[in-house]
Amino acid sequence: MRRVVVTGLGLITPLGNTVQSSWDALLKSKSGIVPITHFDPHDIPCKIAAQVSEKSEDNPNGFNSEQYISNKEKRRVDQFIVYGVAA
């Protein structure tokens, strides 16, 4: 039997990019559901989703993948891998 040791906790969620920011948003009953921006939802009936927001001029607290993985590597993996590495 192998032993596993949890050495930390990390979260990348629609509510925040750290454990503390996600927890604070939960305690304040905030919602991470927003209009879909990651792709064009024209052909699907649902136009809202809980998506991780990217860092931009309008959203300085958004997720910045460049902190964790190079653009070259980012093109080679799915987005969930980037979130896992960051968490």
Side-chain angles (χ1 to χ4, degrees), residues 4 7-8 19 37-38 44 48 52 54 57-58 79 83:
V4 176
T7 59
V19 173
T37 58
H38 287 208
I44 59 173
I48 60 173
V52 175
E54 297 291 325
E57 289 181 13
D58 297 335
Q79 191 65 23
Y83 296 149

Side-chain angles (χ1 to χ4, degrees), residues 12-40:
I12 303 295
T13 72
L15 295 176
N17 298 325
T18 64
V19 173
Q20 191 61 49
S21 64
S22 295
W23 183 248
D24 290 343
L26 278 171
L27 292 178
K28 293 176 184 174
S29 299
K30 292 192 175 183
S31 173
I33 298 174
V34 295
I36 295 172
T37 58
H38 287 208
F39 61 90
D40 182 11

Side-chain angles (χ1 to χ4, degrees), residues 1 3-4 6 9 13 19 23 34-35 40 42 47 50 60-61 67 70 72 77 85-86:
M1 177 179 265
R3 292 180 184 226
V4 176
V6 177
L9 183 65
T13 72
V19 173
W23 183 248
V34 295
D40 182 11
H42 175 72
K47 308 292 187 224
N61 296 325
Q67 267 184 285
S70 70
K72 182 179 178 182
V77 298
V85 168

Side-chain angles (χ1 to χ4, degrees), residues 69 77-86:
I69 191 168
V77 298
D78 287 329
Q79 191 65 23
F80 77 93
I81 298 293
V82 178
Y83 296 149
V85 168

